[in-house]
PDB file of all heavy atoms in Angstrom:
ATOM      1  N   PHE Q  69      -5.317  -1.006  -4.341  1.00 97.00           N
ATOM      2  CA  PHE Q  69      -4.709  -2.206  -3.712  1.00 97.00           C
ATOM      3  C   PHE Q  69      -3.766  -1.795  -2.537  1.00 97.00           C
ATOM      4  O   PHE Q  69      -3.528  -2.587  -1.632  1.00 97.00           O
ATOM      5  CB  PHE Q  69      -3.977  -2.969  -4.758  1.00 97.00           C
ATOM      6  CG  PHE Q  69      -3.636  -4.418  -4.469  1.00 97.00           C
ATOM      7  CD1 PHE Q  69      -4.568  -5.372  -4.579  1.00 97.00           C
ATOM      8  CD2 PHE Q  69      -2.324  -4.742  -4.045  1.00 97.00           C
ATOM      9  CE1 PHE Q  69      -4.281  -6.730  -4.281  1.00 97.00           C
ATOM     10  CE2 PHE Q  69      -1.987  -6.079  -3.823  1.00 97.00           C
ATOM     11  CZ  PHE Q  69      -2.964  -7.097  -3.879  1.00 97.00           C
ATOM     12  N   LEU Q  75      -9.897  -1.445   3.376  1.00 85.00           N
ATOM     13  CA  LEU Q  75     -10.291  -2.471   4.358  1.00 85.00           C
ATOM     14  C   LEU Q  75     -10.895  -1.720   5.572  1.00 85.00           C
ATOM     15  O   LEU Q  75     -10.684  -0.548   5.724  1.00 85.00           O
ATOM     16  CB  LEU Q  75      -9.086  -3.270   4.852  1.00 85.00           C
ATOM     17  CG  LEU Q  75      -8.187  -3.843   3.706  1.00 85.00           C
ATOM     18  CD1 LEU Q  75      -6.966  -4.559   4.279  1.00 85.00           C
ATOM     19  CD2 LEU Q  75      -8.961  -4.766   2.862  1.00 85.00           C
ATOM     20  N   SER Q  85      -3.009  -2.918   4.076  1.00 95.00           N
ATOM     21  CA  SER Q  85      -3.712  -2.801   2.785  1.00 95.00           C
ATOM     22  C   SER Q  85      -3.534  -4.200   2.156  1.00 95.00           C
ATOM     23  O   SER Q  85      -2.794  -5.057   2.646  1.00 95.00           O
ATOM     24  CB  SER Q  85      -3.042  -1.766   1.926  1.00 95.00           C
ATOM     25  OG  SER Q  85      -1.792  -2.136   1.504  1.00 95.00           O
ATOM     26  N   CYS Q  86      -4.165  -4.332   1.012  1.00 95.00           N
ATOM     27  CA  CYS Q  86      -3.965  -5.619   0.248  1.00 95.00           C
ATOM     28  C   CYS Q  86      -2.457  -5.817   0.011  1.00 95.00           C
ATOM     29  O   CYS Q  86      -1.897  -6.882   0.080  1.00 95.00           O
ATOM     30  CB  CYS Q  86      -4.682  -5.515  -1.089  1.00 95.00           C
ATOM     31  SG  CYS Q  86      -6.373  -5.050  -1.129  1.00 95.00           S
ATOM     32  N   CYS Q  89       0.115  -7.555   2.428  1.00 96.00           N
ATOM     33  CA  CYS Q  89       0.322  -9.009   2.384  1.00 96.00           C
ATOM     34  C   CYS Q  89       0.799  -9.412   0.997  1.00 96.00           C
ATOM     35  O   CYS Q  89       1.679 -10.229   0.891  1.00 96.00           O
ATOM     36  CB  CYS Q  89      -0.990  -9.661   2.757  1.00 96.00           C
ATOM     37  SG  CYS Q  89      -1.393  -9.558   4.469  1.00 96.00           S
ATOM     38  N   HIS Q  90       0.203  -8.812   0.015  1.00 97.00           N
ATOM     39  CA  HIS Q  90       0.538  -9.169  -1.395  1.00 97.00           C
ATOM     40  C   HIS Q  90       1.405  -8.033  -1.910  1.00 97.00           C
ATOM     41  O   HIS Q  90       0.945  -7.074  -2.567  1.00 97.00           O
ATOM     42  CB  HIS Q  90      -0.735  -9.300  -2.260  1.00 97.00           C
ATOM     43  CG  HIS Q  90      -1.705 -10.308  -1.774  1.00 97.00           C
ATOM     44  ND1 HIS Q  90      -1.601 -11.631  -1.860  1.00 97.00           N
ATOM     45  CD2 HIS Q  90      -2.912 -10.082  -1.106  1.00 97.00           C
ATOM     46  CE1 HIS Q  90      -2.615 -12.276  -1.321  1.00 97.00           C
ATOM     47  NE2 HIS Q  90      -3.530 -11.319  -0.882  1.00 97.00           N
ATOM     48  N   ALA Q 111      -0.943 -15.939   6.992  1.00 95.00           N
ATOM     49  CA  ALA Q 111      -1.948 -15.109   7.668  1.00 95.00           C
ATOM     50  C   ALA Q 111      -3.265 -15.948   7.801  1.00 95.00           C
ATOM     51  O   ALA Q 111      -3.575 -16.744   6.893  1.00 95.00           O
ATOM     52  CB  ALA Q 111      -2.266 -13.867   6.946  1.00 95.00           C
ATOM     53  N   VAL Q 113      -6.761 -15.457   7.465  1.00 85.00           N
ATOM     54  CA  VAL Q 113      -7.738 -14.415   6.998  1.00 85.00           C
ATOM     55  C   VAL Q 113      -9.149 -14.679   7.456  1.00 85.00           C
ATOM     56  O   VAL Q 113     -10.055 -13.870   7.202  1.00 85.00           O
ATOM     57  CB  VAL Q 113      -7.678 -14.197   5.454  1.00 85.00           C
ATOM     58  CG1 VAL Q 113      -6.411 -13.503   5.062  1.00 85.00           C
ATOM     59  CG2 VAL Q 113      -7.796 -15.576   4.802  1.00 85.00           C
ATOM     60  N   PHE Q 118     -10.087  -9.553  12.337  1.00 75.00           N
ATOM     61  CA  PHE Q 118     -10.376  -8.807  11.098  1.00 75.00           C
ATOM     62  C   PHE Q 118     -11.890  -8.681  10.883  1.00 75.00           C
ATOM     63  O   PHE Q 118     -12.346  -7.648  10.450  1.00 75.00           O
ATOM     64  CB  PHE Q 118      -9.753  -9.502   9.916  1.00 75.00           C
ATOM     65  CG  PHE Q 118      -8.322  -9.334   9.817  1.00 75.00           C
ATOM     66  CD1 PHE Q 118      -7.501 -10.216   9.053  1.00 75.00           C
ATOM     67  CD2 PHE Q 118      -7.623  -8.301  10.444  1.00 75.00           C
ATOM     68  CE1 PHE Q 118      -6.111 -10.059   8.936  1.00 75.00           C
ATOM     69  CE2 PHE Q 118      -6.244  -8.114  10.353  1.00 75.00           C
ATOM     70  CZ  PHE Q 118      -5.522  -8.981   9.596  1.00 75.00           C
ATOM     71  N   VAL Q 130      -2.581 -19.610   6.636  1.00 95.00           N
ATOM     72  CA  VAL Q 130      -2.077 -20.230   5.418  1.00 95.00           C
ATOM     73  C   VAL Q 130      -1.098 -19.284   4.720  1.00 95.00           C
ATOM     74  O   VAL Q 130      -1.158 -18.073   4.947  1.00 95.00           O
ATOM     75  CB  VAL Q 130      -3.269 -20.639   4.469  1.00 95.00           C
ATOM     76  CG1 VAL Q 130      -4.131 -21.678   5.047  1.00 95.00           C
ATOM     77  CG2 VAL Q 130      -4.020 -19.366   4.055  1.00 95.00           C
ATOM     78  N   PRO Q 131      -0.177 -19.823   3.891  1.00 97.00           N
ATOM     79  CA  PRO Q 131       0.770 -18.925   3.191  1.00 97.00           C
ATOM     80  C   PRO Q 131       0.008 -17.901   2.353  1.00 97.00           C
ATOM     81  O   PRO Q 131      -0.973 -18.183   1.725  1.00 97.00           O
ATOM     82  CB  PRO Q 131       1.505 -19.879   2.288  1.00 97.00           C
ATOM     83  CG  PRO Q 131       1.376 -21.284   2.919  1.00 97.00           C
ATOM     84  CD  PRO Q 131       0.026 -21.226   3.553  1.00 97.00           C
ATOM     85  N   PRO Q 133      -0.589 -16.058  -0.780  1.00 97.00           N
ATOM     86  CA  PRO Q 133      -0.301 -16.485  -2.161  1.00 97.00           C
ATOM     87  C   PRO Q 133       0.300 -15.257  -2.942  1.00 97.00           C
ATOM     88  O   PRO Q 133      -0.058 -14.093  -2.713  1.00 97.00           O
ATOM     89  CB  PRO Q 133      -1.667 -16.900  -2.777  1.00 97.00           C
ATOM     90  CG  PRO Q 133      -2.719 -16.237  -1.897  1.00 97.00           C
ATOM     91  CD  PRO Q 133      -2.094 -16.047  -0.563  1.00 97.00           C
ATOM     92  N   LEU Q 135      -0.070 -13.423  -6.109  1.00 97.00           N
ATOM     93  CA  LEU Q 135      -1.218 -13.435  -6.997  1.00 97.00           C
ATOM     94  C   LEU Q 135      -0.810 -13.525  -8.473  1.00 97.00           C
ATOM     95  O   LEU Q 135      -1.712 -13.652  -9.356  1.00 97.00           O
ATOM     96  CB  LEU Q 135      -2.045 -12.209  -6.727  1.00 97.00           C
ATOM     97  CG  LEU Q 135      -2.631 -12.111  -5.316  1.00 97.00           C
ATOM     98  CD1 LEU Q 135      -3.493 -10.815  -5.177  1.00 97.00           C
ATOM     99  CD2 LEU Q 135      -3.460 -13.320  -4.912  1.00 97.00           C
ATOM    100  N   GLY Q 140      -1.376 -18.840  -6.973  1.00 94.00           N
ATOM    101  CA  GLY Q 140      -2.109 -17.729  -6.521  1.00 94.00           C
ATOM    102  C   GLY Q 140      -3.450 -17.507  -7.199  1.00 94.00           C
ATOM    103  O   GLY Q 140      -4.116 -16.443  -7.043  1.00 94.00           O
ATOM    104  N   ARG Q 141      -3.801 -18.481  -7.957  1.00 93.00           N
ATOM    105  CA  ARG Q 141      -5.043 -18.365  -8.799  1.00 93.00           C
ATOM    106  C   ARG Q 141      -5.979 -19.568  -8.566  1.00 93.00           C
ATOM    107  O   ARG Q 141      -6.858 -19.825  -9.301  1.00 93.00           O
ATOM    108  CB  ARG Q 141      -4.637 -18.392 -10.290  1.00 93.00           C
ATOM    109  CG  ARG Q 141      -5.178 -17.267 -11.034  1.00 93.00           C
ATOM    110  CD  ARG Q 141      -4.624 -17.252 -12.482  1.00 93.00           C
ATOM    111  NE  ARG Q 141      -3.596 -16.241 -12.544  1.00 93.00           N
ATOM    112  CZ  ARG Q 141      -2.371 -16.516 -13.139  1.00 93.00           C
ATOM    113  NH1 ARG Q 141      -2.088 -17.727 -13.666  1.00 93.00           N
ATOM    114  NH2 ARG Q 141      -1.491 -15.556 -13.191  1.00 93.00           N
ATOM    115  N   THR Q 142      -5.727 -20.252  -7.497  1.00 93.00           N
ATOM    116  CA  THR Q 142      -6.443 -21.506  -7.250  1.00 93.00           C
ATOM    117  C   THR Q 142      -7.800 -21.271  -6.582  1.00 93.00           C
ATOM    118  O   THR Q 142      -8.717 -22.020  -6.858  1.00 93.00           O
ATOM    119  CB  THR Q 142      -5.663 -22.498  -6.389  1.00 93.00           C
ATOM    120  OG1 THR Q 142      -5.181 -21.777  -5.215  1.00 93.00           O
ATOM    121  CG2 THR Q 142      -4.507 -23.093  -7.127  1.00 93.00           C
ATOM    122  N   ARG Q 143      -7.873 -20.226  -5.795  1.00 92.00           N
ATOM    123  CA  ARG Q 143      -9.134 -20.062  -4.982  1.00 92.00           C
ATOM    124  C   ARG Q 143     -10.223 -19.396  -5.825  1.00 92.00           C
ATOM    125  O   ARG Q 143     -11.378 -19.688  -5.622  1.00 92.00           O
ATOM    126  CB  ARG Q 143      -8.814 -19.246  -3.745  1.00 92.00           C
ATOM    127  CG  ARG Q 143      -9.359 -19.803  -2.494  1.00 92.00           C
ATOM    128  CD  ARG Q 143      -9.127 -18.917  -1.318  1.00 92.00           C
ATOM    129  NE  ARG Q 143     -10.335 -18.235  -0.937  1.00 92.00           N
ATOM    130  CZ  ARG Q 143     -10.346 -17.381   0.060  1.00 92.00           C
ATOM    131  NH1 ARG Q 143      -9.288 -17.125   0.736  1.00 92.00           N
ATOM    132  NH2 ARG Q 143     -11.463 -16.809   0.377  1.00 92.00           N
ATOM    133  N   VAL Q 144      -9.822 -18.493  -6.717  1.00 94.00           N
ATOM    134  CA  VAL Q 144     -10.816 -17.780  -7.413  1.00 94.00           C
ATOM    135  C   VAL Q 144     -10.536 -17.774  -8.951  1.00 94.00           C
ATOM    136  O   VAL Q 144      -9.442 -17.438  -9.322  1.00 94.00           O
ATOM    137  CB  VAL Q 144     -11.075 -16.391  -6.848  1.00 94.00           C
ATOM    138  CG1 VAL Q 144      -9.858 -15.592  -6.726  1.00 94.00           C
ATOM    139  CG2 VAL Q 144     -12.074 -15.602  -7.684  1.00 94.00           C
ATOM    140  N   PHE Q 155     -15.971 -12.205  -5.516  1.00 93.00           N
ATOM    141  CA  PHE Q 155     -15.001 -12.614  -4.544  1.00 93.00           C
ATOM    142  C   PHE Q 155     -14.428 -11.324  -3.800  1.00 93.00           C
ATOM    143  O   PHE Q 155     -14.358 -11.354  -2.536  1.00 93.00           O
ATOM    144  CB  PHE Q 155     -13.858 -13.422  -5.152  1.00 93.00           C
ATOM    145  CG  PHE Q 155     -12.688 -13.689  -4.238  1.00 93.00           C
ATOM    146  CD1 PHE Q 155     -12.701 -14.819  -3.413  1.00 93.00           C
ATOM    147  CD2 PHE Q 155     -11.581 -12.885  -4.180  1.00 93.00           C
ATOM    148  CE1 PHE Q 155     -11.586 -15.093  -2.618  1.00 93.00           C
ATOM    149  CE2 PHE Q 155     -10.468 -13.144  -3.374  1.00 93.00           C
ATOM    150  CZ  PHE Q 155     -10.501 -14.279  -2.588  1.00 93.00           C
ATOM    151  N   LEU Q 156     -14.042 -10.357  -4.546  1.00 94.00           N
ATOM    152  CA  LEU Q 156     -13.366  -9.212  -3.924  1.00 94.00           C
ATOM    153  C   LEU Q 156     -14.363  -8.423  -3.049  1.00 94.00           C
ATOM    154  O   LEU Q 156     -13.996  -7.984  -1.921  1.00 94.00           O
ATOM    155  CB  LEU Q 156     -12.855  -8.261  -5.031  1.00 94.00           C
ATOM    156  CG  LEU Q 156     -11.652  -8.799  -5.815  1.00 94.00           C
ATOM    157  CD1 LEU Q 156     -11.353  -7.913  -7.030  1.00 94.00           C
ATOM    158  CD2 LEU Q 156     -10.435  -8.977  -4.903  1.00 94.00           C
ATOM    159  N   GLN Q 159     -14.775 -10.372   0.061  1.00 89.00           N
ATOM    160  CA  GLN Q 159     -13.560 -10.413   0.810  1.00 89.00           C
ATOM    161  C   GLN Q 159     -13.464  -9.044   1.611  1.00 89.00           C
ATOM    162  O   GLN Q 159     -13.107  -9.117   2.784  1.00 89.00           O
ATOM    163  CB  GLN Q 159     -12.392 -10.518  -0.151  1.00 89.00           C
ATOM    164  CG  GLN Q 159     -11.032 -10.726   0.496  1.00 89.00           C
ATOM    165  CD  GLN Q 159      -9.952 -10.485  -0.533  1.00 89.00           C
ATOM    166  OE1 GLN Q 159     -10.040  -9.703  -1.474  1.00 89.00           O
ATOM    167  NE2 GLN Q 159      -8.850 -11.225  -0.369  1.00 89.00           N
ATOM    168  N   ILE Q 160     -13.650  -7.976   0.969  1.00 91.00           N
ATOM    169  CA  ILE Q 160     -13.558  -6.681   1.624  1.00 91.00           C
ATOM    170  C   ILE Q 160     -14.621  -6.543   2.738  1.00 91.00           C
ATOM    171  O   ILE Q 160     -14.261  -6.111   3.856  1.00 91.00           O
ATOM    172  CB  ILE Q 160     -13.681  -5.542   0.598  1.00 91.00           C
ATOM    173  CG1 ILE Q 160     -12.443  -5.481  -0.258  1.00 91.00           C
ATOM    174  CG2 ILE Q 160     -13.836  -4.159   1.298  1.00 91.00           C
ATOM    175  CD1 ILE Q 160     -12.500  -4.539  -1.454  1.00 91.00           C
ATOM    176  N   PHE Q 164     -12.612  -8.437   5.850  1.00 84.00           N
ATOM    177  CA  PHE Q 164     -11.926  -7.313   6.466  1.00 84.00           C
ATOM    178  C   PHE Q 164     -12.823  -6.208   6.961  1.00 84.00           C
ATOM    179  O   PHE Q 164     -12.357  -5.054   7.175  1.00 84.00           O
ATOM    180  CB  PHE Q 164     -10.959  -6.732   5.421  1.00 84.00           C
ATOM    181  CG  PHE Q 164      -9.835  -7.660   5.099  1.00 84.00           C
ATOM    182  CD1 PHE Q 164      -9.702  -8.235   3.846  1.00 84.00           C
ATOM    183  CD2 PHE Q 164      -8.813  -7.968   6.053  1.00 84.00           C
ATOM    184  CE1 PHE Q 164      -8.669  -9.100   3.506  1.00 84.00           C
ATOM    185  CE2 PHE Q 164      -7.756  -8.842   5.690  1.00 84.00           C
ATOM    186  CZ  PHE Q 164      -7.721  -9.388   4.520  1.00 84.00           C
ATOM    187  N   ILE Q 181      -5.774  -7.117 -10.643  1.00 98.00           N
ATOM    188  CA  ILE Q 181      -5.437  -8.474 -10.288  1.00 98.00           C
ATOM    189  C   ILE Q 181      -5.307  -9.373 -11.578  1.00 98.00           C
ATOM    190  O   ILE Q 181      -4.432 -10.184 -11.717  1.00 98.00           O
ATOM    191  CB  ILE Q 181      -6.490  -9.055  -9.329  1.00 98.00           C
ATOM    192  CG1 ILE Q 181      -6.264  -8.343  -7.999  1.00 98.00           C
ATOM    193  CG2 ILE Q 181      -6.292 -10.598  -9.219  1.00 98.00           C
ATOM    194  CD1 ILE Q 181      -7.313  -8.643  -6.971  1.00 98.00           C
TER     195      ILE Q 181
HETATM  196  C1  HEC G   1      -3.460 -10.257   6.210  1.00 89.84           C
HETATM  197  C2  HEC G   1      -2.892 -10.556   4.860  1.00 89.84           C
HETATM  198  C3  HEC G   1      -3.733 -10.322   3.698  1.00 89.84           C
HETATM  199  C4  HEC G   1      -4.404  -9.186   3.272  1.00 89.84           C
HETATM  200  C5  HEC G   1      -4.404  -7.848   4.006  1.00 89.84           C
HETATM  201  C6  HEC G   1      -5.051  -9.444   2.013  1.00 89.84           C
HETATM  202  N1  HEC G   1      -4.855 -10.778   1.681  1.00 89.84           N
HETATM  203 FE1  HEC G   1      -5.417 -11.658  -0.074  1.00 89.84          FE
HETATM  204  N2  HEC G   1      -4.945 -13.445   0.704  1.00 89.84           N
HETATM  205  C7  HEC G   1      -4.183 -13.683   1.914  1.00 89.84           C
HETATM  206  C8  HEC G   1      -4.160 -15.071   2.150  1.00 89.84           C
HETATM  207  C9  HEC G   1      -3.460 -15.767   3.378  1.00 89.84           C
HETATM  208  C10 HEC G   1      -4.802 -15.737   1.110  1.00 89.84           C
HETATM  209  C11 HEC G   1      -5.083 -17.254   0.945  1.00 89.84           C
HETATM  210  C12 HEC G   1      -6.363 -17.546   1.589  1.00 89.84           C
HETATM  211  C13 HEC G   1      -6.792 -18.995   1.452  1.00 89.84           C
HETATM  212  O1  HEC G   1      -6.249 -19.752   0.622  1.00 89.84           O
HETATM  213  O2  HEC G   1      -7.841 -19.302   2.051  1.00 89.84           O
HETATM  214  C14 HEC G   1      -5.310 -14.640   0.201  1.00 89.84           C
HETATM  215  C15 HEC G   1      -5.965 -14.868  -1.001  1.00 89.84           C
HETATM  216  C16 HEC G   1      -6.321 -13.913  -1.937  1.00 89.84           C
HETATM  217  C17 HEC G   1      -6.825 -14.143  -3.248  1.00 89.84           C
HETATM  218  C18 HEC G   1      -7.185 -15.490  -3.889  1.00 89.84           C
HETATM  219  C19 HEC G   1      -6.011 -16.103  -4.594  1.00 89.84           C
HETATM  220  C20 HEC G   1      -6.404 -17.398  -5.289  1.00 89.84           C
HETATM  221  O3  HEC G   1      -5.894 -18.431  -4.931  1.00 89.84           O
HETATM  222  O4  HEC G   1      -7.223 -17.326  -6.225  1.00 89.84           O
HETATM  223  C21 HEC G   1      -6.991 -12.919  -3.825  1.00 89.84           C
HETATM  224  C22 HEC G   1      -7.519 -12.602  -5.238  1.00 89.84           C
HETATM  225  C23 HEC G   1      -6.591 -11.920  -2.882  1.00 89.84           C
HETATM  226  N3  HEC G   1      -6.158 -12.574  -1.724  1.00 89.84           N
HETATM  227  C24 HEC G   1      -6.644 -10.552  -3.081  1.00 89.84           C
HETATM  228  C25 HEC G   1      -6.584  -9.627  -2.023  1.00 89.84           C
HETATM  229  C26 HEC G   1      -7.067  -8.273  -2.085  1.00 89.84           C
HETATM  230  C27 HEC G   1      -7.679  -7.604  -3.260  1.00 89.84           C
HETATM  231  C28 HEC G   1      -6.830  -7.750  -0.832  1.00 89.84           C
HETATM  232  C29 HEC G   1      -7.268  -6.327  -0.311  1.00 89.84           C
HETATM  233  C30 HEC G   1      -8.718  -6.047  -0.387  1.00 89.84           C
HETATM  234  C31 HEC G   1      -6.168  -8.771  -0.019  1.00 89.84           C
HETATM  235  N4  HEC G   1      -6.098  -9.924  -0.723  1.00 89.84           N
HETATM  236  C32 HEC G   1      -5.758  -8.518   1.287  1.00 89.84           C
HETATM  237  C33 HEC G   1      -3.668 -12.695   2.738  1.00 89.84           C
HETATM  238  C34 HEC G   1      -4.087 -11.336   2.695  1.00 89.84           C
END
Side-chain angles (χ1 to χ4, degrees):
F69 198 79
L75 308 179
S85 70
C86 311
C89 287
H90 306 284
V113 286
F118 286 159
V130 294
L135 301 180
R141 229 175 263 133
T142 49
R143 228 184 104 182
V144 51
F155 171 88
L156 292 172
Q159 188 193 31
I160 290 171
F164 293 112
I181 290 170

